[in-house]
Amino acid sequence: MKAIYFDSKLGVSSFLDDRMFKSKPNGYDVVDYFTVSKFLEQAGKGDVLVFAQDVVPYTIYDVTPFNSDSKLGSFIKKGGIVVWVGDIPFSYRLHCFSKEYKEKIERVKEVLKRQVAFTPVPDFYLQKFGPYEKGDQICVLDIIGGFYVDVNKESVSWMSLEYKHLDFLKLSEHCYLYSPVPVNQTLIGKMLQYESHASLRPVKYTTKILPLTLTTLNGICKGKYAGSWIAQIGEGYFVRLYDINEEIEPDKVFKIAEKIATY
């Protein structure tokens, strides 16, 4: 089973466009906020899910600061392959509600406004939060970096950047650069015939990942960082590829996913 996750509620991600769909090989279904959950329930070892948006949906990733269970994590552990293209994985999450929640969402947005007032860019969080209306649904981004918005409780709390997404990935280990830095292919990258020349949101190189590209940074982010990488989780893999729009080669996204699926 093979699928691409894309949901029109947020439009096309700022990193991606319809090239992903034009390059889609035969055998790939397109799943959205609601149908991706069923896909993961039925999928198993060697099956592939490619994210064409850099926002994870609540329907498969229902983590909170106090809970780490998720259908996405279970899928990977049993041998599934997830390929992420775009910004930092798990920095944003989409959560949809019925239109009856509209007033509650507006109230919790006021709570968020007070909570982010001390940040350098409060408008950034408010704009990302939404809401986004589509049909009979009203959606918000209830995880925005380190902020977790509980719409039901009308509360906003801090989700530590040290929280381990999928039990290994910390947002604090990513470097936020103002301009791309050049990267070099590793042996693994060359073996997969993966080419990328730059990275904007590299992650600190640790033994928990297999880097496809590497760069050495100075300043606040000092040391070795991976622009693209693979992490083994249980029997499956989480693969992070391009994070710069102009670098993306959609056909290589699918080729790498299918190469890994055969191992």
Side-chain angles (χ1 to χ4, degrees):
M1 297 175 63
K2 302 170 186 176
I4 301 175
Y5 173 77
F6 173 80
D7 198 286
S8 60
K9 295 177 186 65
L10 290 182
V12 176
S13 160
S14 59
F15 279 93
L16 302 175
D17 52 37
D18 61 1
R19 284 177 292 164
M20 288 293 289
F21 299 98
K22 290 178 180 178
S23 301
K24 179 174 71 69
N26 291 332
Y28 278 81
D29 294 322
V30 177
V31 292
D32 61 15
Y33 180 88
F34 294 103
T35 58
V36 66
S37 180
K38 185 176 181 180
F39 169 83
L40 290 186
E41 290 171 358
Q42 297 175 342
K45 187 175 178 63
D47 293 333
V48 176
L49 177 62
V50 175
F51 276 83
Q53 284 175 305
D54 52 9
V55 176
V56 66
Y58 174 85
T59 48
I60 62 170
Y61 196 66
D62 55 346
V63 302
T64 70
F66 320 103
N67 170 51
S68 61
D69 294 333
S70 68
K71 290 181 180 178
L72 185 66
S74 297
F75 165 69
I76 301 174
K77 287 176 182 176
K78 64 185 179 183
I81 295 147
V82 170
V83 179
W84 187 278
V85 183
D87 210 339
I88 295 173
F90 310 108
S91 184
Y92 306 111
R93 183 175 70 179
L94 180 70
H95 196 167
C96 295
F97 303 85
S98 67
K99 286 290 183 69
E100 297 171 354
Y101 276 75
K102 188 169 185 177
E103 291 185 6
K104 185 184 284 281
I105 286 172
E106 289 302 325
R107 289 197 298 271
V108 78
K109 188 168 185 176
E110 287 300 311
V111 177
L112 177 64
K113 185 176 181 179
R114 293 194 295 272
Q115 291 285 79
V116 301
F118 69 90
T119 67
V121 284
D123 288 343
F124 168 83
Y125 295 98
L126 297 173
Q127 289 170 5
K128 286 289 186 183
F129 176 76
Y132 308 87
E133 296 192 39
K134 184 73 174 180
D136 60 351
Q137 296 287 309
I138 183 167
C139 308
V140 297
L141 295 188
D142 69 342
I143 291 179
I144 309 172
F147 286 97
Y148 167 65
V149 183
D150 190 326
V151 172
N152 285 306
K153 294 181 179 180
E154 296 184 27
S155 65
V156 177
S157 59
W158 179 246
M159 190 168 185
S160 172
L161 297 180
E162 296 298 312
Y163 177 87
K164 292 183 180 179
H165 292 272
L166 296 181
D167 293 327
F168 87 95
L169 180 65
K170 297 179 183 178
L171 298 189
S172 64
E173 292 179 340
H174 281 85
C175 186
Y176 287 72
L177 300 172
Y178 291 103
S179 59
V181 293
V183 295
N184 296 311
Q185 273 65 41
T186 64
L187 177 60
I188 297 172
K190 291 176 182 178
M191 290 173 66
L192 288 173
Q193 297 181 312
Y194 174 72
E195 294 183 9
S196 178
H197 306 288
S199 177
L200 188 63
R201 299 287 185 258
V203 67
K204 193 170 185 62
Y205 175 42
T206 69
T207 55
K208 297 176 183 177
I209 62 174
L210 299 172
L212 303 182
T213 62
L214 280 174
T215 187
T216 300
L217 301 178
N218 294 306
I220 296 177
C221 302
K222 189 174 183 179
K224 283 190 176 182
Y225 280 75
S228 304
W229 43 269
I230 301 172
Q232 182 170 1
I233 303 167
E235 295 185 36
Y237 300 93
F238 184 91
V239 186
R240 193 280 178 86
L241 296 182
Y242 309 97
D243 63 357
I244 300 176
N245 188 23
E246 58 266 25
E247 286 258 315
I248 296 171
E249 297 185 51
D251 59 327
K252 290 192 176 180
V253 172
F254 297 110
K255 285 179 181 177
I256 288 173
E258 292 176 20
K259 278 184 182 179
I260 294 173
T262 62
Y263 294 149

